[in-house]
Amino acid sequence: MATLSIRKRLALEIARKIRNNQKELHPLKQLFWECTQRCNLHCKHCGSDCKRMSDIPDMPAEDFLRVIDSITPHVDPNEVNIVITGGEPLVRDDLEEIGLALYRRGYSWGLVSNGLYLTAARLQRLMEAGLHTITISLDGFADDHNWMRGHPDSYSKAMEAIKRLVHERELVWDVVTCVNRLNYPYLDKLKASLYSIGVRQWRLFTIFPVGRATEHPEFQLTDEEFTGVMDFIKRVRKEKRMRVNYGCEGFLGNYEGEVRDNLFSCNAGISVGSVLVDGSISACPSIRSNFSQGNIYKDDFMDVWENRFQPFRNREWMKKGACADCSFFRYCEGNGMHLRDSGGELLFCHLKRLRK
């Protein structure tokens, strides 16, 4: 188990006090909308198990906008970022209309996309509708990316989308890569390739065993490779040419403060909420229905946000199993909520995977 320096412990203690204060205030800062479970790809590592034809219909735009109108009296729209996700948001043909409605209400909005449908014309229309942020997924070079994504044109379309974004100075954007056993050996080459086309914001995460990803255990890095990812990020950040961050997945011991812009904090239900495609009111959309706290078709979102999110804000219930006697629980509070199974048990601990 990691031994932390006094300086790092002090930083973590300060971060803990800030997090506890945030729990008390729980200001809604980021709202995810799972607008669809349809997808134009069939990714082998999909945590949502989305399909080209979903059993659950897309949420009508007016239903989500009704939620936004109910939230607006309680928040400052300029301080709430709305992220449209899925599935693949671009399979909807009304995103421009929805985005413009959000923009006119004073909200900044963005989306997460695989880039397959992000043509130059579509990007222009989205920007005219107020698009502020966008993330494009890229999981390696052509063979590996296309195999993982289940589409022969996925890599080329994602790269075309990224190259378009390079020239859009008004957008905040990044590339996100799922590190796995296929692309791990060539992370440096992938970094060089992305840098050469103008990428300066790169986010890395590792696969967690949920949804379709459970069918491919070979995606899971060894402990040595997982540690290697942290060393890679640490080294690239020191170069100060590309801003690289590890995702907000889990507590990383001695790597805290060195592989992310912020110290670890799972803000699900603290400052992050979501409306899922079936109307469920939850936190991070990676957390599935077991932790939903209400539904927009029978509950008021802000009432649920204020009064029903205790499992997210008081996580002492997580202090069981591997977390029961862990001295680092005060800092990680049981890891990210998305890493809990339907019974609340921890799927895996990032800290235990690290070899330093």
Side-chain angles (χ1 to χ4, degrees):
M1 189 64 73
T3 300
L4 303 180
S5 67
I6 294 176
R7 182 178 180 182
K8 191 150 291 186
R9 281 191 179 274
L10 286 173
L12 288 167
E13 287 294 339
I14 293 171
R16 179 172 176 265
K17 290 180 180 179
I18 294 172
R19 185 168 65 250
N20 286 338
N21 186 52
Q22 285 292 95
K23 289 178 189 177
E24 291 293 324
L25 299 173
H26 50 265
L28 182 64
K29 295 294 185 182
Q30 191 169 48
L31 178 64
F32 285 91
W33 178 35
E34 186 185 51
C35 70
T36 183
Q37 280 199 354
R38 292 183 293 137
C39 190
N40 48 14
L41 299 180
H42 191 76
C43 304
K44 292 177 174 62
H45 58 311
C46 180
S48 300
D49 199 19
C50 298
K51 305 174 178 67
R52 290 178 176 83
M53 295 299 293
S54 174
D55 297 332
I56 304 175
D58 295 355
M59 179 181 288
E62 57 268 25
D63 293 357
F64 180 65
L65 291 174
R66 195 177 303 117
V67 174
I68 295 301
D69 288 338
S70 74
I71 290 172
T72 301
H74 305 279
V75 302
D76 180 350
N78 292 315
E79 296 181 356
V80 180
N81 182 42
I82 296 173
V83 182
I84 302 176
T85 184
E88 169 54 46
L90 294 181
V91 301
R92 293 186 64 132
D93 58 12
D94 60 352
L95 280 189
E96 291 86 346
E97 176 186 339
I98 297 166
L100 187 58
L102 293 171
Y103 178 78
R104 286 174 174 168
R105 285 165 168 80
Y107 291 89
S108 66
W109 67 279
L111 58 88
V112 180
S113 174
N114 57 45
L116 193 65
Y117 287 173
L118 192 66
T119 63
R122 190 82 195 267
L123 177 60
Q124 183 61 36
R125 293 198 302 271
L126 291 167
M127 291 181 63
E128 290 172 355
L131 178 69
H132 179 63
T133 63
I134 185 168
T135 292
I136 301 295
S137 300
L138 187 80
D139 292 327
F141 291 124
D143 288 346
D144 293 338
H145 179 87
N146 290 343
W147 177 78
M148 289 186 69
R149 296 279 168 173
H151 195 292
D153 298 325
S154 179
Y155 174 79
S156 61
K157 294 298 184 182
M159 288 296 285
E160 288 173 11
I162 293 167
K163 289 175 182 178
R164 289 190 185 99
L165 296 177
V166 169
H167 302 290
E168 301 297 343
R169 302 301 180 189
E170 295 180 6
L171 282 177
V172 176
W173 63 276
D174 67 353
V175 173
V176 62
T177 296
C178 177
V179 182
N180 57 82
R181 301 209 73 191
L182 296 177
N183 61 24
Y184 173 77
Y186 59 78
L187 285 178
D188 271 303
K189 290 183 179 179
L190 186 59
K191 178 203 72 172
S193 175
L194 291 173
Y195 186 87
S196 69
I197 62 173
V199 175
R200 297 296 182 268
Q201 305 280 346
W202 190 24
R203 194 155 30 104
L204 306 181
F205 70 100
T206 44
I207 298 174
F208 50 94
V210 175
R212 202 177 297 149
T214 59
E215 301 171 12
H216 294 277
E218 68 271 21
F219 287 163
Q220 298 297 322
L221 299 173
T222 66
D223 291 349
E224 287 73 20
E225 289 167 340
F226 183 72
T227 305
V229 172
M230 299 305 127
D231 288 331
F232 168 79
I233 296 173
K234 184 177 175 180
R235 172 168 53 82
V236 175
R237 286 174 67 89
K238 285 183 178 179
E239 294 171 359
K240 296 184 178 180
R241 300 176 70 212
M242 181 184 281
R243 190 173 181 178
V244 183
N245 276 281
Y246 183 64
C248 57
E249 293 181 51
F251 179 71
L252 301 171
N254 278 308
Y255 288 98
E256 286 297 325
E258 298 179 351
V259 296
R260 280 186 288 237
D261 290 344
N262 303 303
L263 297 174
F264 171 71
S265 178
C266 175
N267 291 315
I270 299 171
S271 60
V272 177
S274 69
V275 176
L276 304 184
V277 70
D278 64 353
S280 296
I281 299 171
S282 188
C284 169
S286 295
I287 305 169
R288 303 314 295 176
S289 59
N290 306 79
F291 293 99
S292 295
Q293 303 300 306
N295 192 288
I296 65 166
Y297 293 112
K298 62 179 182 179
D299 302 305
D300 176 74
F301 182 94
M302 287 306 294
D303 179 63
V304 173
W305 178 257
E306 290 295 334
N307 300 304
R308 298 195 202 171
F309 271 72
Q310 288 83 1
F312 296 93
R313 296 166 191 161
N314 183 352
R315 302 189 183 182
E316 284 298 312
W317 62 269
M318 287 185 171
K319 202 167 187 179
K320 58 183 179 179
C323 299
D325 300 317
C326 181
S327 61
F328 295 104
F329 184 86
R330 65 190 287 108
Y331 305 132
C332 85
E333 296 188 322
N335 234 347
M337 284 284 290
H338 69 289
L339 294 171
R340 296 278 161 173
D341 66 15
S342 58
E345 299 297 328
L346 183 65
L347 292 172
F348 63 78
C349 172
H350 287 70
L351 188 61
K352 287 186 176 180
R353 300 176 71 188
L354 293 169
R355 290 299 181 227
K356 294 182 181 179

